[in-house]
Each structure stands twice: as structure tokens, then as C-alpha cells.
């Protein structure tokens, strides 16, 4: 089955710790995205990458970091500099060729800071 | 800038009722428009989309028409089921590579269908 996997589904972190969220896709998509969702709100873009070894900040990148060493993987690190990290994190991917405007989403990781 | 406004929820309906969720947008250019659905504890699933004016997207009994003159993309379903209970997001994207072709989302509308 082709798709996007995110792990873990639930993650707990103590204050002051960095934590890395995994996102893997086997859709051969070029672009990948990380969004944050807070209760009762829409999604906000954290980072995106359109090609391996390149990525761009989204609207709320402060306190986060990413890497794109492989086409299929786009891990997100939530650093201790992120003031309010408790949220639901969603990864998405998209094919770049042609008029491929649709983003497909993973199942999400719920991060809770204790 | 670009923005999406959708009606606030929750919307509570009885089974077999008619559902409408309003969505309006502002965009510099000609966006593609989407409706995504999120079931409890899950990621977003694409429900339907439309890429140009007057296009109608449809899926699973849901429909939405891209209305350029009113900058709207309202979601409708003629007869809802309990399984349609979810949060629905309206979104747009402008195919601008320099901006990452990112999606701009509305705030989401929670729909609760009661038996």
C-alpha cells in the first residue's frame, strides 16, 4: 500500500527536551510538508521541502527544525525553544510534476509536553 | 494575503438531514479549492476538489462548486449519515512554486450527526 506513515502516534516529552517526529512516504512524491494543528483550529505550516537537501520555513517555523536527506523521509524536530509544543502534528506530501495540486496527509502524531 | 473563512461549528444534524458548510476565500490569483475531512484522532483525507471556476467536485455524496463570482466553495450533502460526523476543512492553494504550493486552511467546521 502506498501512503504516508507517521510515528509515533502519541508522544510525551518533558519540558526542555528535544523530540523528533518521523514522516515517511512511499508515494514517490517530491514535496513534503509539516503542519501543526491546535484544538479547534485549522492547520498552520511549519516547514516544507520541494527537493532533497532543501527546505523552507513556513508560517510558524520558530522552535522547529527539519532535514530532507532522502526523498521519502522528512523528520521534524521539536526543540526546547518551542514555547508551546503540545499539539497534533501532520505531515503531508505532494507530487510536483504536472498540475498535481493535491496534498495527501499522514495520520498525525499527537505530542504532549508534561 | 490568501485566506479561507468557513462557518464555525459545531453543526448538529439528524440523520438524513441536508448539510451545508459555507466556505469563502480571498486569493491573489486563481486558486485550486479543496475540502478535507478529519475523523477523530486521524489525519486529513481529501474529500473533493475543484481547480477552476464553475468546476464541481463530488465524492461520497458530497458536492461543492467553485464560484468565482462569489469567491465561494460551499460543501453540501443531501442526506447525512452518522458516519459523516467529523471536522471538515476548506482549503486553497495557488500553484506558485516559489511559495511551496502551500495550502491555506479555514478553521474547520465540526459536524455531529445524531441517529
Amino acid at each position: 500500500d502506498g501512503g504516508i506513515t507517521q510515528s509515533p502516534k502519541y508522544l510525551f516529552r518533558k519540558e526542555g527536551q528535544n523530540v523528533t517526529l518521523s514522516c515517511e512516504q512511499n508515494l514517490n512524491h517530491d514535496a513534503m510538508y509539516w503542519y501543526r494543528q491546535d484544538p479547534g483550529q485549522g492547520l498552520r505550516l511549519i516547514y516544507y521541502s520541494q527537493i532533497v537537501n532543501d527546505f523552507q520555513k513556513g508560517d510558524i517555523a520558530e522552535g522547529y527544525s527539519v532535514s530532507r536527506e532522502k526523498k521519502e523521509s522528512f523528520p521534524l524536530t521539536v526543540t526546547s525553544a518551542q514555547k508551546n509544543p503540545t499539539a497534533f502534528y501532520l505531515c503531508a506530501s505532494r507530487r510536483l510534476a504536472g498540475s498535481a495540486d493535491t496534498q495527501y496527509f499522514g495520520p498525525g502524531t499527537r505530542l504532549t509536553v508534561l | 494575503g490568501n485566506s479561507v473563512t468557513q462557518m464555525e461549528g459545531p453543526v448538529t444534524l439528524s440523520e438524513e438531514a441536508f448539510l451545508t458548510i459555507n466556505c469563502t476565500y480571498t486569493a491573489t490569483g486563481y486558486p485550486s479549492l479543496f475540502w478535507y475531512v478529519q475523523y477523530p484522532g486521524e489525519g486529513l483525507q481529501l474529500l473533493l476538489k475543484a481547480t477552476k471556476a464553475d468546476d464541481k467536485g463530488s465524492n461520497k455524496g458530497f458536492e461543492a462548486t467553485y464560484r468565482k463570482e462569489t469567491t465561494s466553495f460551499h460543501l453540501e450533502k443531501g442526506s447525512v449519515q452518522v458516519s459523516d460526523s467529523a471536522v471538515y476543512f476548506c482549503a486553497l492553494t495557488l500553484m506558485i512554486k516559489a511559495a511551496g504550493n502551500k495550502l491555506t486552511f479555514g478553521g474547520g467546521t465540526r459536524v455531529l450527526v445524531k441517529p
Side-chain angles (χ1 to χ4, degrees):
Chain A
D1 281 340
I4 303 171
T5 56
Q6 291 186 242
S7 60
K9 189 172 177 64
Y10 299 97
L11 190 55
F12 298 90
R13 184 194 100 176
K14 293 182 180 179
E15 279 194 41
Q17 288 181 337
N18 292 356
V19 63
T20 298
L21 282 60
S22 169
C23 177
E24 304 276 332
Q25 54 96 3
N26 61 5
L27 300 166
N28 199 32
H29 284 177
D30 305 284
M32 297 185 74
Y33 305 80
W34 274 105
Y35 293 88
R36 170 183 171 135
Q37 184 181 22
D38 292 285
Q41 297 187 30
L43 281 69
R44 293 181 289 169
L45 182 65
I46 304 172
Y47 268 98
Y48 64 95
S49 167
Q50 300 193 87
I51 193 170
V52 173
N53 292 323
D54 186 49
F55 48 83
Q56 306 295 330
K57 292 182 178 180
D59 300 319
I60 56 164
E62 185 175 351
Y64 300 97
S65 66
V66 293
S67 63
R68 187 85 186 280
E69 296 177 2
K70 299 185 295 182
K71 186 176 183 179
E72 59 270 23
S73 178
F74 191 42
L76 173 74
T77 296
V78 184
T79 76
S80 56
Q82 169 48 236
K83 300 302 180 191
N84 185 20
T86 295
F88 191 48
Y89 291 87
L90 287 157
C91 179
S93 69
R94 186 177 67 83
R95 185 170 56 91
L96 280 181
S99 61
D101 50 7
T102 301
Q103 288 186 24
Y104 295 91
F105 285 80
T109 292
R110 186 167 299 281
L111 173 64
T112 302
V113 174
L114 304 173
Chain B
N2 304 319
S3 67
V4 176
T5 302
Q6 57 183 109
M7 59 191 287
E8 288 191 23
V11 174
T12 303
L13 303 164
S14 297
E15 214 165 16
E16 299 184 2
F18 185 87
L19 171 68
T20 299
I21 304 176
N22 290 339
C23 171
T24 57
Y25 67 90
T26 57
T28 53
Y30 301 98
S32 294
L33 301 173
F34 304 84
W35 278 101
Y36 283 88
V37 59
Q38 184 178 36
Y39 299 101
E42 298 184 10
L44 273 66
Q45 299 176 24
L46 177 67
L47 183 58
L48 53 84
K49 72 175 190 179
T51 58
K52 60 183 188 298
D54 300 324
D55 268 2
K56 177 186 283 188
S58 61
N59 186 27
K60 299 180 181 179
F62 290 90
E63 291 184 342
T65 302
Y66 189 142
R67 300 287 187 200
K68 183 166 173 260
E69 63 276 12
T70 55
T71 62
S72 66
F73 192 53
H74 304 320
L75 183 69
E76 297 181 337
K77 186 174 185 182
S79 176
V80 294
Q81 306 299 313
V82 172
S83 57
D84 294 322
S85 298
V87 180
Y88 293 82
F89 291 94
C90 185
L92 68 82
T93 189
L94 289 161
M95 295 296 283
I96 302 173
K97 187 176 181 180
N101 305 111
K102 68 176 187 177
L103 282 167
T104 300
F105 284 90
T109 302
R110 182 176 299 278
V111 173
L112 177 61
V113 180
K114 295 185 174 180

